[in-house]
């Protein structure tokens, strides 16, 4: 959900029916005020705005270790799936379908799982073992290369390898978040930086609505730092 997400050209965006690619009302004019331009932009990109709001709320709740982060995350994942399919980011679409499942799993695990890390029915923050770090790192490298090759060869996906890296990394980070591991925030930080670059590039070239998501990930970047510092205070003292 940080996680948190363009067609190969403007014609492709119009072909997929993206509302955000139809921007005639946003062209400068002598009779339009700045406020009117902003209102027009948000009205034409209201669906992306829903994704931005639900995404921010989801992360705020996650930082506070509030279990409601997961149902809000379900809303964010569904909205973002639609947005990225319109934009031809198929790896991100796959990722957000996975987020739907992982939000359900995280909802269950924070409520009932992790018996060895529970204190007064609350799941404490855990640390990941070095062995598991190496295993997940290997999975990240191999998965990114395979997925990037597949999308680059068999689809019209843009920026296939960069998009695939953030996708596979987000698969890993979301699982770590559902298990409430502190190190998940490290990976989210890296993902957020790359996603900002992707959305800015595609925002200029095809879909202006993606600038909203670039802004969202810039906020996520700061939230990843805040989340790490907040969770670090509640780490389970038990040895890894």
């Amino acid at each position: 959900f940080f996680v948190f997400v363009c067609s190969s050209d403007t014609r492709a965006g119009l072909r997929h029916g993206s509302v955000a690619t139809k921007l005639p009302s946003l062209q400068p004019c002598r009779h339009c005020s700045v406020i009117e331009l902003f209102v027009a932009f948000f009205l034409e990109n209201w669906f992306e705005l829903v994704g931005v709001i639900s995404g921010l709320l989801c992360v705020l709740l996650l930082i506070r270790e509030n279990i409601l982060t997961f149902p809000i995350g379900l809303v964010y994942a569904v909205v973002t799936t639609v947005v990225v399919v319109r934009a031809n980011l198929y790896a991100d679409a796959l990722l957000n379908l996975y987020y739907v499942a992982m939000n359900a799993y995280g909802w269950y695990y924070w409520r009932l799982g992790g018996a060895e890390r529970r204190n007064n029915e609350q799941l404490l923050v855990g640390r990941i073992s070095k062995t598991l770090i190496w295993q997940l790192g290997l999975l990240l490298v191999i998965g990114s290369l395979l997925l990037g090759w597949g999308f680059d060869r068999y689809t019209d996906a843009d920026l296939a390898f960069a998009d695939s890296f953030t996708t596979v990394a987000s698969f890993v980070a979301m699982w770590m978040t559902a298990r409430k591991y502190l190190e998940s925030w490290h990976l989210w930080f890296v993902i957020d930086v790359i996603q900002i670059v992707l959305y800015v590039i595609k925002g200029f070239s095809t879909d202006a609505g993606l600038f909203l998501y670039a802004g969202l990930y810039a906020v996520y970047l700061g939230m990843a730092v805040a989340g790490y510092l907040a969770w670090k205070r509640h780490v389970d003292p038990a040895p890894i």
Side-chain angles (χ1 to χ4, degrees), residues 1-5 51-60 63 76 80 185 188-189 191-193 195-196 199 213-227:
F1 51 91
F2 295 94
V3 164
F4 11 50
V5 204
V52 169
I53 293 172
S54 60
L56 287 171
L57 181 57
C58 175
V59 182
L60 284 171
I63 291 172
Y76 171 75
T80 305
W185 293 107
W188 286 126
F189 185 92
I191 293 166
D192 294 341
V193 171
Q195 288 287 45
I196 290 170
Y199 288 134
Y213 273 75
L216 174 63
Y217 276 89
V219 176
Y220 281 165
L221 199 59
M223 286 182 162
V225 176

Side-chain angles (χ1 to χ4, degrees), residues 83-102:
V83 170
V84 298
V85 166
R86 288 174 173 176
N88 285 12
L89 288 176
Y90 303 126
D92 271 354
L94 182 64
L95 168 65
N96 281 280
L97 289 175
Y98 167 78
Y99 278 170
V100 172
M102 289 308 299

Side-chain angles (χ1 to χ4, degrees), residues 165-181:
F165 173 81
T166 60
T167 297
V168 177
S170 296
F171 271 105
V172 174
M174 186 61 198
W175 176 82
M176 293 169 65
T177 298
R179 300 289 295 231
K180 210 172 185 179
Y181 286 128

Side-chain angles (χ1 to χ4, degrees), residues 19-20 38-54 79 82-83 86 209 212-213:
V19 176
F38 271 108
V39 170
F41 177 80
F42 286 121
L43 286 177
E44 293 195 12
N45 297 282
W46 66 270
F47 199 66
E48 287 88 344
L49 187 60
V50 170
V52 169
I53 293 172
S54 60
V79 170
V82 176
V83 170
R86 288 174 173 176
L212 288 173
Y213 273 75

